[in-house]
Amino acid sequence: MISYAASMTMPGRVRLGAAMKSILFASVLTLSSVLASSPNAHAQDGDKPVITPAPTVAVDEADLAPLTTTSHGISLYGDLKYGPDFHHFDYVNPDAPKGGTLVQSSIVAFDTLNPFTLRGLPAAGISLIYDSLMAASADEPSSMYGLIAHSIEVPEDRSFAIFHLDPRARFQDGTDITAEDVVFSYDILIEKGSPVYRQYFSQVEKAEAIDELTVKFTFKPGNNRETPMNVAGISIMPRKFWEGKDFSKTTFEFPVGSGAYMIDSIEAGRRITYKRNPDYWAADLPVNRGQNNFDTIRYDVYLDPEVQRQAFLAGEYMVRSEHSSRDWSTAYNTPAVERGDIKKEFLPDHLPVGMQAYVMNNRLPLFSDWRVRKALQYGFDFQWLSQAMFYGAYKRTDSYFVNSDLASSGIPTGDELALLEPYRDQLPPELFSQPFTLPNFDEADGRRKALRDSMTLLNEAGWELRDKVLVNKETGQPFRFELIIRQPGLEKIALVMKARLKQLGVTMDIRLIDTGQWINRIQAFDFEVTTHWWQQSLTPGNEQRVFWSSPAADQPGSQNFAGIKNPVVDAMIDKVASANSWHELVTATRALDRVLLWGYYVIPQYYLGGERLAWWDVFGRPEDVPLKGASVMRWWIDPEKSAKLKMGGF
């Protein structure tokens, strides 16, 4: 069962436990028996029986409520690392100086300041202006601590969660944050926000304000450990600001937020600047100490990735995460790097990477047959790409939870096998008898074998070669599809895949489009094949419904881009979301991973297992890097370094 670390229990609350109920019930039975057997019980001639009243126990209706625990934090599994009186997280510098300017970049030309709907492309960094009820720690798998809500109250059966708001909590316009604002934030996201929110909060029955500073979320029946934490992460918005406005429309009106930063200025589609709120009420809370150190944060928009890279090298912005192994090895041979003005570092991690892949739109008849999807795996020659283009930097992705203990391997055994066994007749027999593998072209005669196996699958699925063109046996329709990508660097990799698929008689057209158009198309499922990266956490949960569930396949705005509709996948998602222990979570996640892999819904690509980070040397950084990785929001501008390089605002 879920473990909530308690700092106190509700005062004055009495639980009418099973033992007390048994005593009272036994007393009633005893009294009835005495009355029935007493000579006076049937007195005649008007004699009245003498009855001595038994003592009574006054029970208020509220006393029958479930016993709850109130805590400063909540953990999905295990105890909280930080106690109720903690001062700051271990991975920050609580004495970090404040000030200066952080300049970052974005590849998206934004057209709205509302990030919660399907319409428009929101500005980079817009989440900076919002706080949530609780804040997650970065050195625990899944724990949250009080922010807008100073505590959370939950019963053992997890049927509801009550949040007690900090009476000091204020919006950026100085007005109080109330329980009504929390209820409004939830309701507006469900009613007018992206459909993703309805899936993510699918286990929430209702939200209600108990009083001005107390809000209660009631959950639907079921065993969903994560739901209290899901609602704890809701971005809190002021009801008064949005009254009379259409929440579903794009807007450039500066919204009133609840977070540490507020919008200072914008140049539509080109630049957005945030300033640290000087009156931020929560600046000295334990969850915020040592963070939010920059006075100003600016995002500049670059529509071309190469221009974006060159702008960094020229000092136009200050921190860059590099995704190209070639450019990491060759593009940073500049005087600034040689002088040490630009620092480069690869930061490895052991976090679930998730699935980066070519995504086939399974909604289309062309990709509806698993044999076709499996045959197309031949097109991605990872071994050749690794040697010729990747500088040996990447590993092949062979799991939806690769780089973690959550990834499946071998064949299912033990509890995982028991979990899958009831669905044996709905799964490929090979899932139970052999490990999942992808084509290995480095094996002896590997490419020829993969080509032969792929062609056999295509023939079985109703396709055949005619004059070196793969066509449908019945209709004569050529096998042809379009791959849409948004980064020029990916085009070279796609060209290799195009050449490999041509050996199967398959024609793949490659179309490079801008990021805004790409986002709009994939959200509307208007594509044949594209690339996508589903990122994962250490504790998978309800977000898996958004990624892979059958309802999400028909819901624009969800991330089930592959269009997966598989009842066994749905069942495994339920098992993941309702896991009662770490062991159960690992077992269910591995089973889900295995079912997804054997569906061949995507063509897995590759992963790095860390982050390539480059930055201009004007920062100070905490010594400790937590479990979930480094974050620039925990850095600060070093005044001496800033003055030396004339960058960063000092």
Side-chain angles (χ1 to χ4, degrees), residues 515-536:
T515 298
Q517 184 182 0
W518 179 82
I519 291 174
N520 290 331
R521 286 190 60 178
I522 66 167
Q523 285 186 335
F525 309 140
D526 178 23
F527 68 94
E528 292 177 314
V529 178
T530 189
T531 59
H532 186 64
W533 177 22
W534 288 275
Q535 300 183 54
Q536 294 286 1

Side-chain angles (χ1 to χ4, degrees), residues 40-59:
N40 292 327
H42 303 285
Q44 299 177 0
D45 301 326
D47 293 337
K48 296 182 178 179
V50 179
I51 301 175
T52 301
T56 59
V57 178
V59 179

Side-chain angles (χ1 to χ4, degrees), residues 378-498:
Y378 171 80
F380 192 71
D381 191 341
F382 172 77
Q383 284 74 30
W384 187 90
L385 288 166
S386 180
Q387 296 176 16
M389 298 181 64
F390 294 163
Y391 293 80
Y394 296 110
K395 301 175 184 178
R396 184 73 195 269
T397 298
D398 58 0
S399 166
Y400 284 75
F401 302 89
V402 72
N403 201 47
S404 76
D405 290 338
L406 299 169
S408 61
S409 62
I411 62 174
T413 59
D415 291 340
E416 185 188 349
L417 177 60
L419 204 60
L420 293 168
E421 190 64 46
Y423 308 95
R424 182 181 283 268
D425 61 344
Q426 302 178 58
L427 294 169
E430 295 82 3
L431 181 149
F432 295 92
S433 61
Q434 62 189 56
F436 177 83
T437 59
L438 293 165
N440 184 357
F441 297 129
D442 277 355
E443 293 178 344
D445 204 28
R447 287 178 178 81
R448 185 180 296 275
K449 180 180 182 299
L451 178 62
R452 183 170 58 249
D453 292 345
S454 296
M455 187 56 67
T456 299
L457 287 167
L458 290 168
N459 289 336
E460 292 175 356
W463 298 85
E464 65 181 5
L465 276 176
R466 296 178 187 172
D467 298 326
K468 297 184 180 181
V469 176
L470 190 69
V471 299
N472 187 283
K473 292 179 182 178
E474 295 183 359
T475 66
Q477 173 192 3
F479 198 117
R480 186 169 193 158
F481 65 87
E482 179 185 69
L483 167 70
I484 60 170
I485 55 176
R486 62 189 178 99
Q487 297 180 31
L490 298 179
E491 195 170 10
K492 296 177 182 178
I493 301 172
L495 286 171
V496 177
M497 184 172 173
K498 178 183 177 74

Side-chain angles (χ1 to χ4, degrees), residues 204-219:
V204 180
E205 183 70 42
K206 62 178 178 178
E208 56 186 326
I210 297 177
D211 58 38
E212 187 176 4
L213 295 176
T214 310
V215 61
K216 178 179 180 181
F217 289 87
T218 303
F219 308 137

Side-chain angles (χ1 to χ4, degrees), residues 182-210:
V182 177
V183 173
F184 165 80
S185 299
Y186 168 77
D187 287 343
I188 199 70
L189 289 175
I190 295 299
E191 296 170 8
K192 301 288 187 179
S194 167
V196 169
Y197 292 108
R198 289 192 285 277
Q199 296 167 345
Y200 191 66
F201 298 120
S202 61
Q203 289 300 108
V204 180
E205 183 70 42
K206 62 178 178 178
E208 56 186 326
I210 297 177

Side-chain angles (χ1 to χ4, degrees), residues 292-428:
N292 305 319
N293 300 316
F294 309 106
D295 281 348
T296 304
I297 299 177
R298 192 180 85 217
Y299 287 87
D300 294 338
V301 174
Y302 300 91
L303 299 182
D304 183 281
E306 182 57 34
V307 174
Q308 184 186 34
R309 180 182 296 106
Q310 293 303 323
F312 169 76
L313 295 173
E316 295 297 321
Y317 63 97
M318 301 156 67
V319 183
R320 175 175 177 80
S321 182
E322 181 57 67
H323 301 293
S324 167
S325 56
R326 177 179 63 85
D327 290 326
W328 183 251
S329 299
T330 63
Y332 291 82
N333 298 326
T334 67
V337 175
E338 294 172 358
R339 291 193 305 268
D341 294 343
I342 292 178
K343 301 293 185 181
K344 289 175 57 185
E345 188 174 348
F346 174 67
L347 304 173
D349 62 43
H350 298 285
L351 299 174
V353 174
M355 175 58 74
Q356 178 177 305
Y358 291 107
V359 186
M360 295 168 279
N361 192 340
N362 290 229
R363 302 169 186 83
L364 305 177
L366 192 62
F367 303 110
S368 62
D369 193 311
W370 69 270
R371 293 169 297 189
V372 169
R373 301 194 298 266
K374 182 177 180 180
L376 295 182
Q377 304 290 327
Y378 171 80
F380 192 71
D381 191 341
F382 172 77
Q383 284 74 30
W384 187 90
L385 288 166
S386 180
Q387 296 176 16
M389 298 181 64
F390 294 163
Y391 293 80
Y394 296 110
K395 301 175 184 178
R396 184 73 195 269
T397 298
D398 58 0
S399 166
Y400 284 75
F401 302 89
V402 72
N403 201 47
S404 76
D405 290 338
L406 299 169
S408 61
S409 62
I411 62 174
T413 59
D415 291 340
E416 185 188 349
L417 177 60
L419 204 60
L420 293 168
E421 190 64 46
Y423 308 95
R424 182 181 283 268
D425 61 344
Q426 302 178 58
L427 294 169

Side-chain angles (χ1 to χ4, degrees), residues 133 148 150 163-171 175-183 208-216 239-240:
L133 293 170
I148 289 176
H150 62 72
F163 294 90
H164 302 278
L165 307 191
D166 194 312
R168 299 169 295 173
R170 300 288 185 273
F171 287 112
T175 59
D176 295 344
I177 299 178
T178 69
E180 291 290 348
D181 294 304
V182 177
V183 173
E208 56 186 326
I210 297 177
D211 58 38
E212 187 176 4
L213 295 176
T214 310
V215 61
K216 178 179 180 181
R239 181 184 59 176
K240 290 183 179 179

